[in-house]
């Protein structure tokens, strides 16, 4: 068993090790509006769902000079976002949205991604995304001088028709290929769902 102590380890080493261990990670592909109203779209894999209340949580790092990421800045200023989950056909576009560009550059326009209006919030939705969650900011928590945890309430969920089971009234994971983030060694690396195992519910003794 290999052991690493993070209490005094360099930040870069901690990131590399933890992101190689905590896998697979869902990716929040977040749409916001810049200060001038132009669309912003970026992926974040420090992301999780919260189910009571319906919410999602995303951790945003900072630029090297201490400035907040554009997505975080936009959420702070406008209080709204759309969180998408991408599938395999959208992987290249999602990955390209991670490129550092000047503030105000529209990633959907740059990459030729069609967008559609949201229903309850101002940021646009990626038309081809299988899942889109319209969200408003609930709260944020500083995690020191390196990152901030942001909690977003989910107001409305959209799912593509082909992944939805009307008989169950929910999406079926066997009908689509959600993209997950893997470790960064010789990467960045991504994965999709492979073998699926269905077990009976645990029984009380």
């Amino acid at each position: 068993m290999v052991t690493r102590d993070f209490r005094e380890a360099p930040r870069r080493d901690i990131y590399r090790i933890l992101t190689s261990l905590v896998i697979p990670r869902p990716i929040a592909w977040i749409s916001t509006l810049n200060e001038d109203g132009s669309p912003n779209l970026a992926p974040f894999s420090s992301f999780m769902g919260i189910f009571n209340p319906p919410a999602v949580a995303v951790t945003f790092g900072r630029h090297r000079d201490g400035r907040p990421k554009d997505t975080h800045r936009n959420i702070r200023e406008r209080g709204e976002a759309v969180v998408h989950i991408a599938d395999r056909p959208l992987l290249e576009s999602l990955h390209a949205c991670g490129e550092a560009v000047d503030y105000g550059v529209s990633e959907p326009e740059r990459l030729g991604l069609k967008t559609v209006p949201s229903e309850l919030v101002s940021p646009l939705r990626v038309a081809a995304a299988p899942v889109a969650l319209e969200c408003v900011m609930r709260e944020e928590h500083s995690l020191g001088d390196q990152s901030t945890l942001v909690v977003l309430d989910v107001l409305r969920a959209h799912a593509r028709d082909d992944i939805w089971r009307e008989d169950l009234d929910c999406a079926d994971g066997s009908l689509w290929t959600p993209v997950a983030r893997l470790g960064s060694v010789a990467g960045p690396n991504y994965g999709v769902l492979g073998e699926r195992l269905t077990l009976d519910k645990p029984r009380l003794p």
Side-chain angles (χ1 to χ4, degrees), residues 59-76:
T59 303
F60 295 102
R62 297 184 175 90
H63 292 289
R64 292 182 179 179
D65 62 4
R67 291 180 297 114
K69 298 286 188 178
D70 294 346
T71 299
H72 186 195
R73 170 182 171 178
N74 293 342
I75 291 174
R76 275 180 167 173

Side-chain angles (χ1 to χ4, degrees), residues 108-124:
E109 182 178 343
R110 184 171 69 92
L111 298 172
L113 289 168
K114 181 181 177 182
T115 56
V116 295
S118 297
E119 297 174 359
L120 299 178
V121 299
S122 298
L124 303 173

Side-chain angles (χ1 to χ4, degrees), residues 4-24:
R4 293 290 183 267
D5 192 323
F6 288 163
R7 287 173 291 182
E8 296 183 2
R11 177 180 174 183
R12 184 172 182 176
D13 290 352
I14 293 173
Y15 177 84
R16 184 186 69 254
I17 294 169
L18 269 183
T19 57
S20 74
L21 298 176
V22 183
I23 60 171

Side-chain angles (χ1 to χ4, degrees), residues 31 33 79-82 117-125 133-136 155:
S31 169
L33 292 181
E80 298 179 321
V82 177
S118 297
E119 297 174 359
L120 299 178
V121 299
S122 298
L124 303 173
R125 291 187 283 134
L133 308 174
E134 298 188 28
C135 302
V136 294
L155 302 183

